Amino acid sequence: MTLLLLISIILPVFLGTFIYLKDKESLPNKLFGLWMFITVISNVCNLFQSTAKTAGTAAMVNPAIMAFSFLFTTILILLISSLYYPLFIKTRKYLSSYLIFLIVFFTLPFIDYFFEANLITNGVVAKDSAYIIVLGPYHFVILAYHIISLILVITLLTLGYRKGKNSDKKQIALIFIAYIITFTILSISHNITNHLIRRFLVDFSTLLLTLCFTYFIIKHKLFSPLKAALEQAVRSMRDGLIVLDKEGNILRINSSAQKIFNLKDIFDKNISEAFACYPGFNEGLNGDEAEFDYMLPNYSGSPQDDLKGNLQSPEKEKSRAVNVTKAKILDEDGKICGSLITVRDITERKMFENKLREANEFLEDLFETSPDGILVVDLEGKILKANGAAAKIYDFEKEKLIGKNTNDFRWEDGKTTQRSKEFMQKIYEDGKVINYETLCRKRNGETVPIELSSTLLKDRGGKFIGGLMIFRDISERKKLEEEIRGKKEFLEKIIETSVDGIIITHKGGVITHANESIKRLSEYYGEELIGKHISIFKAEEKAVSEEFLNKLFENGHILSEDVLKTKNGNFIPIEWSISLLKDEKGNRTGSMAIMRDIRKRKELESQVLQSSKLAAIGELAAGIAHELNNPLTGILGYSQLINDKIEKRRIENITHEDISKIADYHKYIEKES
């Protein structure tokens, strides 16, 4: 009997280890290994009990034997579920309830034994120390467990039989028979008095059930490294994977698909029901094969809540995009037996495509709205793309420009032909030409001055594939340049032909320009003045006084008379005005001085001064004569009046009144004298 127990320990260890190590990630393999582990522990307890020296010692393992027998059956049910009806083990509510059921029945024997309640067993060994005798008042609990387990096993095997293939149905029937045999033997083994026969029957039935599952796993290559790798790839793949039967029921869905759709507990549901919360998704799957992009809203709750009316509005700004592909699955006879749906999250790709499209639209807008003409040409100069500005410059419809050669619009003469050759040589040497001015010919034959920048285009391999030309009509600029050039020449003529000397300096006082008049005046000829400081014209040793500069900077201009020192040391009186030159920001950039030779004016002023002196003397003499003439006239008049009185009256006839008047006249004469 001991040898039999050793065999029942060694064989499960080998089988469980072999199956588990071949694919540690496969759920059936994990459960099979766990089932064998529970079997080994149970057999070890039986071995200990059978070899115990006393009945009391043997009775100590009774709770463990009963608890692990419960665990043996429970793991067996999970193994059957994983193989034939995965919906049971993958549905959280089913699995949670079953695990609670397992924990309760696993702990009951220990509670009953250690608290000496004896509600299930009598706690002692009767007649045979190798097996537990169920004699407690609540021994029907154990019977209920076995009935529930039997119902679960039969139900799962039946569901698997209905949904399985023909090859699977034979295996399911074999496992069903082995399980019934095992269940029956375990149920009646307590009534067999011969311990060796009882042990043999129990181990035989358990071994038969074990071999059935082993054969099934090997038959379907669940231990295959290739299949294990495929299973691992399916579990770890980033793309969602959904397997449907031909009725559209979900047979398998990997974690990536559940994460993408935020769906749980949808195994064995019809896809139309499971994805009812995603509008338009099921419609896209019509037909045996399909492919479409789907905008998947990121719901704040579980999508299953939509069926209950509890789903919040999707956050559209957080929507994700997925690419959905449906392919049909064919059986060995070439008939459709199901469908495979792959779902790939393409949110980043869509975002990139959107950004790329926005960038292209932005570039297209820039291309079309650019005020400069833009052409894309091939290596032969044939126009591949043109914007509206280019069409306007060439006086062509934009569509009619496509296919024409840029040489058709080039103005040809001796000078421009040579420049065109230089242009082509430079662009092939440097890869680009910037701000090249030339003439182009419009449709009506008129020429237009343009400024052209061109760049060669390359493919990823660095091979030239064409060119980009950007050009603008510079007719207005040329007119403006002509006007500016004319004004500049006009001002230069004014400066050069001015009779006054004009010099221009930068802000440091260094002369940058001098006209002919100042050269003749200062006796510096040619370019002698350029680069010299303006102080060379000062007669004093101190070039420019601080007071002079302060006044100039304060007022911006100054007018004064000074003496100019010539190159030969002569001194010429001048009148000069200095004005500061400023840029648009008001910063000083230099000064302009206008000098006028006032030697003739000084001579005239000297002559005028001499004439003024003579005139003043004459005016003074006239005033003195006038001052003398007035009293003399009075004296003369009164003297004549006296003489008239005397001549008319004679002395003997002079009256007293006449004497009185003559006396008054004498007083006036005295006063005037």
Side-chain angles (χ1 to χ4, degrees):
M1 186 180 65
T2 304
L3 180 61
L4 184 63
L5 285 171
L6 288 174
I7 293 174
S8 66
I9 293 172
I10 295 172
L11 185 60
V13 169
F14 171 74
L15 291 176
T17 305
F18 176 77
I19 296 298
Y20 174 71
L21 291 180
K22 287 301 181 179
D23 185 5
K24 297 179 181 180
E25 299 297 329
S26 174
L27 181 59
N29 289 25
K30 289 179 180 179
L31 291 173
F32 183 85
L34 181 60
W35 188 47
M36 291 296 96
F37 177 71
I38 299 302
T39 303
V40 169
I41 293 178
S42 180
N43 289 336
V44 168
C45 292
N46 286 324
L47 178 63
F48 175 79
Q49 191 180 60
S50 65
T51 57
K53 295 180 179 180
T54 64
T57 304
M60 293 175 59
V61 296
N62 281 341
I65 292 174
M66 181 174 287
F68 282 107
S69 68
F70 293 158
L71 195 59
F72 174 88
T73 305
T74 306
I75 299 301
L76 174 63
I77 292 172
L78 293 177
L79 178 60
I80 292 172
S81 171
S82 68
L83 292 173
Y84 302 118
Y85 194 66
L87 176 63
F88 178 82
I89 198 170
K90 291 185 177 181
T91 305
R92 183 176 299 177
K93 58 182 178 181
Y94 297 158
L95 185 61
S96 301
S97 302
Y98 186 72
L99 292 178
I100 294 173
F101 172 79
L102 165 65
I103 294 170
V104 170
F105 279 94
F106 181 76
T107 56
L108 276 177
F110 293 102
I111 295 173
D112 185 66
Y113 181 81
F114 287 107
F115 287 93
E116 299 180 358
N118 294 326
L119 297 176
I120 299 175
T121 68
N122 60 359
V124 297
V125 176
K127 297 181 181 180
D128 192 339
S129 62
Y131 289 93
I132 302 168
I133 306 301
V134 182
L135 297 174
Y138 294 103
H139 62 278
F140 62 86
V141 175
I142 304 302
L143 180 61
Y145 173 81
H146 286 297
I147 293 173
I148 293 172
S149 300
L150 178 64
I151 293 172
L152 280 172
V153 171
I154 293 174
T155 302
L156 292 173
L157 289 174
T158 303
L159 291 171
Y161 187 86
R162 287 176 56 191
K163 294 178 176 293
K165 300 178 182 178
N166 292 332
S167 58
D168 294 338
K169 291 179 179 180
K170 297 177 182 179
Q171 303 301 322
I172 294 171
L174 182 62
I175 290 174
F176 177 76
I177 294 170
Y179 174 74
I180 293 300
I181 293 172
T182 303
F183 180 81
T184 304
I185 290 175
L186 290 175
S187 300
I188 66 174
S189 62
H190 290 289
N191 298 323
I192 301 175
T193 57
N194 190 299
H195 178 68
L196 183 60
I197 295 174
R198 184 169 61 244
R199 183 73 259 172
F200 175 78
L201 290 174
V202 171
D203 290 339
F204 172 77
S205 63
T206 305
L207 182 61
L208 178 64
L209 191 59
T210 302
L211 291 176
C212 286
F213 279 105
T214 304
Y215 174 75
F216 177 82
I217 293 174
I218 293 174
K219 173 78 173 176
H220 290 268
K221 297 182 179 180
L222 296 180
F223 70 95
S224 170
L226 177 59
K227 187 167 184 178
L230 292 175
E231 289 291 328
Q232 177 64 23
V234 170
R235 283 190 296 270
S236 60
M237 66 189 300
R238 295 179 61 186
D239 293 345
L241 183 69
I242 305 172
V243 181
L244 309 177
D245 62 13
K246 59 184 178 181
E247 285 79 21
N249 298 319
I250 298 174
L251 301 178
R252 182 166 186 181
I253 179 169
N254 67 350
S255 58
S256 296
Q258 291 179 338
K259 184 178 180 181
I260 289 173
F261 291 104
N262 195 21
L263 295 172
K264 298 177 182 177
D265 299 336
I266 63 168
F267 189 80
D268 207 39
K269 287 185 179 180
N270 193 279
I271 191 167
S272 59
E273 177 188 358
F275 287 85
C277 54
Y278 291 103
F281 185 82
N282 290 317
E283 288 77 358
L285 295 175
N286 289 334
D288 296 332
E289 295 183 347
E291 182 178 0
F292 60 95
D293 291 342
Y294 184 75
M295 292 304 297
L296 184 67
N298 186 11
Y299 291 99
S300 57
S302 173
Q304 287 89 339
D305 295 340
D306 185 47
L307 303 176
K308 306 174 185 178
N310 299 328
L311 187 60
Q312 300 181 20
S313 299
E315 301 175 10
K316 293 184 178 179
E317 67 276 6
K318 296 183 180 179
S319 295
R320 293 178 299 161
V322 293
N323 177 261
V324 183
T325 303
K326 180 183 179 183
K328 55 188 177 183
I329 301 175
L330 304 177
D331 59 12
E332 297 175 355
D333 300 328
K335 297 181 180 179
I336 299 175
C337 61
S339 302
L340 177 66
I341 299 175
T342 55
V343 183
R344 173 168 294 180
D345 190 333
I346 57 172
T347 305
E348 292 184 1
R349 191 188 80 187
K350 282 293 184 182
M351 291 175 62
F352 176 76
E353 289 176 355
N354 289 336
K355 290 181 180 178
L356 185 62
R357 183 174 61 255
E358 290 174 359
N360 287 336
E361 291 175 354
F362 177 72
L363 292 176
E364 190 67 24
D365 289 341
L366 287 180
F367 184 84
E368 289 299 330
T369 60
S370 173
D372 296 337
I374 304 177
L375 297 177
V376 180
V377 300
D378 61 12
L379 291 177
E380 296 178 355
K382 186 167 64 176
I383 299 173
L384 305 177
K385 190 174 179 63
N387 69 346
K392 184 177 180 181
I393 292 174
Y394 287 144
D395 194 21
F396 257 90
E397 292 80 3
K398 185 172 64 173
E399 293 75 14
K400 292 184 179 180
L401 277 179
I402 307 303
K404 291 189 175 295
N405 198 293
T406 54
N407 292 329
D408 298 338
F409 304 100
R410 188 171 60 188
W411 174 257
E412 292 288 350
D413 59 21
K415 185 177 180 181
T416 56
T417 301
Q418 180 62 30
R419 293 193 67 213
S420 297
K421 292 180 180 179
E422 295 174 356
F423 173 85
M424 297 303 298
Q425 181 180 358
K426 183 174 179 60
I427 195 171
Y428 276 105
E429 288 178 356
D430 301 340
K432 61 181 179 180
V433 174
I434 306 297
N435 298 336
Y436 172 79
E437 293 188 5
T438 185
L439 295 174
C440 76
R441 185 163 52 86
K442 299 171 68 174
R443 180 166 58 177
N444 59 8
E446 295 180 1
T447 58
V448 179
I450 60 171
E451 183 181 73
L452 171 66
S453 296
S454 185
T455 304
L456 289 178
L457 301 178
K458 300 180 182 179
D459 59 13
R460 293 184 177 180
K463 183 179 178 181
F464 293 123
I465 58 174
L468 177 68
M469 300 172 61
I470 303 175
F471 56 98
R472 64 182 60 178
D473 184 346
I474 56 174
S475 302
E476 294 298 325
R477 194 182 78 185
K478 286 295 183 181
K479 291 180 181 179
L480 184 61
E481 287 177 355
E482 288 296 326
E483 291 178 3
I484 293 174
R485 186 181 300 110
K487 291 180 179 179
K488 181 180 178 182
E489 292 175 355
F490 179 71
L491 291 175
E492 288 178 351
K493 288 180 180 179
I494 291 176
I495 291 174
E496 290 300 324
T497 58
S498 174
V499 294
D500 295 334
I502 299 176
I503 57 175
I504 298 174
T505 70
H506 66 44
K507 61 183 179 180
V510 176
I511 298 172
T512 58
H513 185 80
N515 68 348
E516 291 298 324
S517 296
I518 192 64
K519 292 176 182 178
R520 290 193 299 270
L521 185 63
S522 62
E523 300 174 352
Y524 289 96
Y525 298 99
E527 300 296 322
E528 290 181 328
L529 282 176
I530 307 304
K532 289 184 170 53
H533 197 272
I534 194 173
S535 60
I536 63 171
F537 299 126
K538 298 292 290 182
E540 299 87 353
E541 293 183 359
K542 186 176 181 181
V544 181
S545 66
E546 184 176 351
E547 180 182 356
F548 179 87
L549 292 176
N550 291 336
K551 187 176 181 181
L552 176 62
F553 293 152
E554 180 180 353
N555 299 327
H557 63 277
I558 192 170
L559 177 65
S560 65
E561 292 185 2
D562 206 340
V563 176
L564 181 141
K565 181 180 179 181
T566 66
K567 178 181 179 180
N568 296 324
N570 299 319
F571 296 97
I572 299 174
I574 61 171
E575 178 184 74
W576 70 342
S577 64
I578 301 178
S579 299
L580 293 178
L581 302 178
K582 297 182 180 181
D583 58 16
E584 296 177 353
K585 297 181 180 180
N587 299 321
R588 294 195 307 272
T589 59
S591 63
M592 181 178 70
I594 301 176
M595 300 181 185
R596 176 172 295 177
D597 185 355
I598 57 172
R599 284 179 291 185
K600 292 183 178 180
R601 193 180 76 185
K602 287 294 184 182
E603 292 177 0
L604 290 174
E605 287 178 353
S606 178
Q607 294 176 3
V608 169
L609 179 60
Q610 186 65 27
S611 299
S612 298
K613 290 179 180 180
L614 294 175
I617 293 172
E619 185 178 354
L620 177 61
I624 293 172
H626 180 70
E627 290 297 327
L628 291 174
N629 185 56
N630 287 339
L632 288 176
T633 301
I635 293 172
L636 179 60
Y638 287 118
S639 298
Q640 290 176 350
L641 288 174
I642 293 173
N643 291 330
D644 287 341
K645 285 287 185 184
I646 295 175
E647 288 178 358
K648 289 179 179 181
R649 297 282 187 179
R650 297 189 182 271
I651 295 176
E652 62 272 7
N653 296 326
I654 292 176
T655 63
H656 180 60
E657 182 181 356
D658 292 333
I659 293 172
S660 176
K661 286 184 179 183
I662 290 171
D664 291 334
Y665 292 156
H666 276 286
K667 290 179 180 179
Y668 283 122
I669 291 171
E670 181 181 6
K671 179 181 178 182
E672 291 299 325
S673 297

